[in-house]
Amino acid sequence: MARERWDPERLPDLSGRSYLVTGANAGLGYFATEQLVRAGAGVVMTGRSPNRLATARAALHRRVPDAEPWQIETLLLDTSNLGSVRAAAATAGMRRRLDGLLLNAGIVHPPRERRTTADGNELVLATNVLGHFALAGALLTTLAAGGGRMVWVGSVSTSLWRYDPIDPQLAEGYTAWRAYVQSKVATTALGFAADRHLREAGVGVSSVVAHPGYAIRGRTPGILGVNEPSRGKRFVDNLQSPIAQSKEHGAWPLVRALVDPAIEGGEYWGPRWVTHGEPRRQSAAAITRDDEVAERLWHAAEDATGVRWPLAKAARVRR
């Protein structure tokens, strides 16, 4: 089977394909972008800092010298700001098609105290979940034109702490860890719910969830302006080598979920050994597979963003 022959270091030829990656200027997003570009794809790198995007783009051209200038574009996008999401989606939506959307941007280390955005949403939920829900909805017809795929980035934390996000905005009982885990429960549940809605509406777009395992900076190649951990960080992170991996390898399941034609909507992918290893299909935490939880979160996302996915319109799009 194609799945058994997959080599994350030798991707199939992606020439002519086009992808958009959120949070592409560093971490998993950067390495996913690099892997896609090496395989010949064109990538729209998004991030909230023009300077960091420019630095990351320059790093890509240094590391992939054969890449054509048109293969690497940059687009400002702050997923915590719905106005920014709308503006970026309007620009990206002018494309004839998109083959894939990697919903990667997010806050990994939330603030100790609860914060809200200009839109009135809790910061971690807004950044990790709501902005991606709004972006995917806004680009749905563009994805449908290419028979594309959206990939939501989950986390192993959802299997370790079973927080039910009955209060997704965490108006009560906020902690940094709870905010992070709840955001990943919501991300994963929405990724699966999206695939159900897309299938039911007859939309030619699939939705997949993938997680990077335990991918850390100190085990990641140093790249000027992209990943520059201190010697102390290198030392501490290398002590965790039996269970950890680099951000570069952490991007493997995300990229496979995005481009492997054998993968079907509604699947969940991650490293073979959960925290590290080559990408394999896995079983998601039960709470993220709960339809009742997912639909509650879907309606909460619609209410918080004001976005209703144009499913009927997307179903009529011809490829």
Side-chain angles (χ1 to χ4, degrees):
M1 292 178 61
R3 291 183 176 180
E4 297 302 321
R5 296 194 300 270
W6 188 267
D7 184 345
E9 295 186 293
R10 291 179 176 81
L11 298 180
D13 183 10
L14 299 177
S15 298
R17 294 185 176 272
S18 177
Y19 300 92
L20 186 147
V21 179
T22 69
N25 57 270
L28 298 167
Y30 171 83
F31 286 103
T33 298
E34 184 176 300
Q35 291 162 28
L36 293 168
V37 170
R38 286 186 186 278
V43 181
V44 180
M45 306 174 68
T46 78
R48 62 184 181 180
S49 166
N51 291 338
R52 294 185 68 184
L53 278 173
T55 298
R57 184 180 187 183
L60 272 172
H61 280 296
R62 289 197 307 273
R63 288 171 59 86
V64 192
D66 294 337
E68 299 291 342
W70 60 263
Q71 281 185 259
I72 310 169
E73 302 176 51
T74 59
L75 177 64
L76 289 178
L77 169 62
D78 179 353
T79 57
S80 73
N81 185 309
L82 293 173
S84 176
V85 172
R86 287 191 293 270
T91 299
M94 295 174 66
R95 291 172 162 270
R96 184 174 61 85
R97 56 179 274 177
L98 272 175
D99 294 284
L101 181 60
L102 179 55
L103 305 169
N104 162 77
I107 295 176
V108 179
H109 303 292
R112 294 180 61 183
E113 303 295 330
R114 183 179 185 272
R115 298 180 189 173
T116 57
T117 67
D119 302 300
N121 296 308
E122 189 274 314
L123 178 63
V124 183
L125 180 74
T127 306
N128 295 9
V129 185
L130 299 179
H132 286 141
F133 178 86
L135 181 68
L139 292 177
L140 188 58
T141 56
T142 306
L143 279 173
R149 180 180 295 171
M150 59 180 72
V151 174
W152 308 67
V153 179
S155 167
V156 293
S157 66
T158 60
S159 296
L160 302 175
W161 284 267
R162 302 179 186 276
Y163 291 141
D164 184 348
I166 54 175
D167 175 17
Q169 296 277 2
L170 282 176
E172 301 290 339
Y174 176 94
T175 68
W177 183 242
R178 188 176 192 111
Y180 175 75
V181 176
Q182 284 200 177
S183 77
K184 288 304 179 180
V185 169
T187 294
T188 306
L190 287 173
F192 295 141
D195 197 69
R196 289 195 298 274
H197 285 292
L198 292 166
R199 288 176 185 270
E200 290 169 0
V203 179
V205 172
S206 59
S207 177
V208 179
V209 183
H211 76 85
Y214 185 34
I216 50 182
R217 291 192 304 118
R219 292 188 54 75
T220 302
I223 302 175
L224 183 65
V226 174
N227 187 66
E228 300 178 272
S230 65
R231 289 185 179 180
K233 178 67 173 172
R234 288 278 190 205
F235 176 78
V236 171
D237 283 4
N238 282 326
L239 293 177
Q240 304 178 77
S241 60
I243 61 169
Q245 64 182 359
S246 68
K247 299 278 187 180
E248 185 177 29
H249 290 183
W252 284 355
L254 280 57
V255 171
R256 183 171 186 180
L258 190 66
V259 307
D260 185 349
I263 291 178
E264 298 181 357
E267 292 185 3
Y268 183 65
W269 284 75
R272 179 178 184 179
W273 307 114
V274 182
T275 60
H276 63 289
E278 295 186 356
R280 294 289 187 274
R281 185 178 178 182
Q282 299 183 345
S283 297
I287 191 171
T288 67
R289 289 285 189 182
D290 188 313
D291 290 354
E292 182 179 341
V293 171
E295 289 310 304
R296 184 205 316 149
L297 288 166
W298 190 274
H299 293 305
E302 288 182 328
D303 290 343
T305 62
V307 173
R308 304 292 186 272
W309 283 25
L311 294 165
K313 182 179 180 181
R316 295 193 298 269
V317 171
R318 293 185 178 181
R319 295 175 58 180

